[in-house]
Amino acid sequence: MALVRTAIALITLVLLTGGYAASQLAFFNGTTAQYIAALDASPVPMLALGLLAALVILAFVPAESDHDLTASSEFSQGEVE
C-alpha cells in the first residue's frame, strides 16, 4: 500500500507542476483565453476527479505502519505491568 500511496503522490506532484507551468506559459504568451478553453474541452477535469477519488479512498485505508504501531503498543502495555 505504501507503493500505491507514493505513486499517487508522485503523479499528483507531476500533474500539479505541469499544470502550473502550462498556465504560466499561457499567461506570459498572452494566450490565457485559448488555454482555458482548451483545458475545459480536454479530459483534464475527469482526470482530476479520478485523482481526487483515489486520494479520498486512500485517506480511509489505514497505512501499514499504523497496524505495526498499534500491535507494538499493545505488547508494551502488557510488559509494563
Side-chain angles (χ1 to χ4, degrees):
M1 187 57 70
L3 181 63
V4 173
R5 290 178 192 271
T6 303
I8 289 187
L10 288 174
I11 289 169
T12 303
L13 180 66
V14 167
L15 290 175
L16 286 173
T17 304
Y20 180 74
S23 72
Q24 291 300 307
L25 184 64
F27 173 75
F28 288 118
N29 286 337
T31 58
T32 307
Q34 291 95 353
Y35 174 73
I36 293 171
L39 190 63
D40 287 340
S42 69
V44 171
M46 290 305 292
L47 176 65
L49 181 63
L51 185 60
L52 177 64
L55 291 171
V56 168
I57 290 169
L58 283 176
F60 287 102
V61 175
E64 293 167 0
S65 61
D66 292 344
H67 294 297
D68 295 339
L69 292 175
T70 304
S72 64
S73 58
E74 288 174 6
F75 289 121
S76 64
Q77 289 175 356
E79 294 173 0
V80 172
E81 294 177 20

